[in-house]
Amino acid sequence: MTAGPDVPGLVADARAAIGAAATTEEIRQVAVAVTGKKSPLAEASRALGSLDAEARRELGRHLHEARAEVEALLEAKRSEIRFDELSAELAASRLDLTEYVPGSVAGPVARGHLHLVSQTRDALEDVFVGMGFDVAEGPEIETDWYNFGALNIPPAHPARGMWDTFYLDLGEPETTLLRTHTSPVQIHLMERAVLDGNLPVHAVMPGRCYRRDTPDARHLAVFHQIEGLVVDRGITFADLAGTIETFTTAYFGPDIHSRLRPAYFPFTEPSAEFEVTCTICRGEGCRTCSQTGWIELGGCGMVDPAVFASVGIDADDWTGFAFGFGIDRCAQMRHQIADMRALIENDIRFLRQF
Ligand code: PHE
């Protein structure tokens, strides 16, 4: 009888090879070498056929145990490697917050700065202040009247669907809500101007707004708008178009322009959507602008006489225009931010770029 295979030797060799593996790729190669078709274990199994029944049973059992042991060693090594690799990944992506702790061991305290949305709001305000506008603000919690009714959107009007929102339960059903746009601030300003007898109004009104939108790359459920309102004598649509164009080139740069397209808003008549040259392709046409070369920024129009009526302004004496657009959207377009959700995730690595 020839000497049988050295089973303990096979296991010892396999153990050494497994012990030396340090990466997922290495352990994969070792697994093939120690348990694959060309492994010494497989060779030894092939020898079984030439043995008599008694010897075959004996060696078969040893080989079976050897294979189970080698498999177990492989598995243990795989999870050890996986753990080490994950730990290394974690260590590499670790964020050192001690830098932000006052008086920390990390040395001088790193100074924070305004969030990109606040910076954008400030920059937009600057542009409009330079054009002669005042800056005003209004409440984020509104009544149905300010958010809808006074803006010529009566209860059950289908246009309410464009501004579906969150209602607050303050006793009476569906009368208090989170404002869906900054347009209600127009109403507050006009009411005040009428009370104080100090028309005209030239103001921009930035602030936070809410919609029941599901957040995606271009929408957030909590976002920011800036509203504009001019009420004066002899204001025409040309004043509106000129204001929008002046703002666009001042904020985005001289090669970015605006255009108005007919639209519908209950509180302006006529109404328009305003679009600006796509800041990604500069008007050539690309995926972001659906090959049109233009990106929609907001809505605008001449103040509807019904809105003047609801605040007691004589529409025969006064005319005006209004506009409203997204501050977050402006930041996104100016800085080419692919996904707007980055603005609210508070990842300091994103925020410190601006
Ligand atoms: N409030 C409108 C909106 O949120 C935009 C708008 C403002 C349209 C002012 C016309 C005039 O969609």
Side-chain angles (χ1 to χ4, degrees):
M1 191 182 123
T2 50
D6 172 15
V7 179
L10 289 183
V11 174
D13 290 349
R15 183 191 299 275
I18 292 168
T23 64
T24 302
E25 177 53 24
E26 281 171 25
I27 193 68
R28 199 187 60 76
Q29 287 172 10
V30 169
V32 171
V34 299
T35 60
K37 281 200 201 83
K38 291 185 189 139
S39 63
L41 258 178
E43 295 286 324
S45 304
R46 274 194 280 282
L48 285 173
S50 59
L51 299 177
D52 60 44
E54 176 66 18
R56 189 185 309 147
R57 205 173 309 119
E58 176 76 2
L59 180 60
R61 191 165 50 79
H62 284 140
L63 286 176
H64 182 73
E65 285 167 9
R67 181 171 284 272
E69 188 176 348
V70 170
E71 296 283 6
L73 287 169
L74 278 171
E75 201 39 52
K77 188 66 180 184
R78 279 193 199 101
S79 52
E80 188 186 308
I81 287 175
R82 181 96 195 97
F83 180 82
D84 288 348
E85 288 182 348
L86 272 179
S87 309
E89 242 172 69
L90 269 178
S93 66
R94 184 169 176 274
L95 198 54
D96 185 8
L97 292 176
T98 57
E99 226 184 293
Y100 295 90
V101 178
S104 89
V105 287
V109 180
R111 273 183 79 168
H113 59 67
L114 290 181
H115 189 278
L116 177 59
V117 172
S118 305
Q119 292 180 39
T120 307
R121 182 203 56 214
D122 290 354
L124 292 169
E125 281 178 11
D126 283 351
V127 170
F128 285 111
V129 167
M131 293 166 74
F133 285 78
D134 299 323
V135 179
E137 280 181 69
E140 290 172 28
I141 296 176
E142 277 295 5
T143 60
D144 188 276
W145 168 252
Y146 284 97
N147 197 76
F148 294 123
L151 289 164
N152 199 28
I153 317 173
H157 191 285
R160 287 200 178 199
M162 283 160 73
W163 294 280
D164 204 359
T165 187
F166 302 101
Y167 287 86
L168 304 174
D169 184 4
L170 300 183
E172 283 175 72
E174 304 211 342
T175 53
T176 318
L177 48 82
L178 295 179
R179 69 178 177 193
T180 57
H181 47 181
T182 41
S183 298
V185 192
Q186 290 186 35
I187 304 298
H188 289 293
L189 284 194
M190 287 188 279
E191 279 180 344
R192 178 127 299 271
V194 168
L195 262 178
D196 297 347
N198 62 357
L199 281 170
V201 174
H202 312 90
V204 288
M205 301 143 254
R208 195 172 286 136
C209 305
Y210 305 80
R211 289 191 196 169
R212 59 98 194 86
D213 287 351
T214 304
D216 65 25
R218 280 183 304 139
H219 298 89
L220 300 174
V222 180
F223 61 103
H224 303 79
Q225 284 191 335
I226 184 162
E227 191 85 8
L229 175 70
V230 169
V231 179
D232 207 335
R233 292 197 165 89
I235 295 294
T236 71
F237 200 90
D239 296 309
L240 167 59
T243 301
I244 300 272
E245 175 65 13
T246 306
F247 148 74
T248 302
T249 50
Y251 180 72
F252 289 107
D255 54 341
I256 302 292
H257 296 284
S258 62
R259 72 173 183 183
L260 302 180
R261 310 176 82 200
Y264 170 74
F265 296 101
F267 35 93
T268 47
E269 179 60 35
S271 301
E273 250 159 34
F274 80 87
E275 298 184 334
V276 301
T277 318
C278 175
T279 52
I280 310 285
C281 64
R282 310 254 136 192
E284 295 286 309
C286 67
R287 238 172 22 156
T288 305
C289 61
S290 310
Q291 308 303 331
T292 61
W294 297 92
I295 295 221
E296 190 196 326
L297 200 56
C300 61
M302 302 304 290
V303 179
D304 195 294
V307 174
F308 280 146
S310 64
V311 293
I313 290 179
D314 182 354
D316 291 330
D317 202 4
W318 302 90
T319 50
F321 66 75
F323 57 82
F325 57 89
I327 296 177
D328 318 72
R329 183 71 64 84
C330 279
Q332 177 177 39
M333 285 172 54
R334 185 143 144 184
H335 299 283
Q336 283 145 34
I337 298 165
D339 192 323
M340 215 144 88
R341 285 169 289 194
L343 293 173
I344 54 170
E345 282 166 353
N346 274 343
D347 186 329
I348 208 140
R349 291 164 298 186
F350 168 79
L351 295 173
R352 66 153 62 113
Q353 298 176 86
F354 307 103

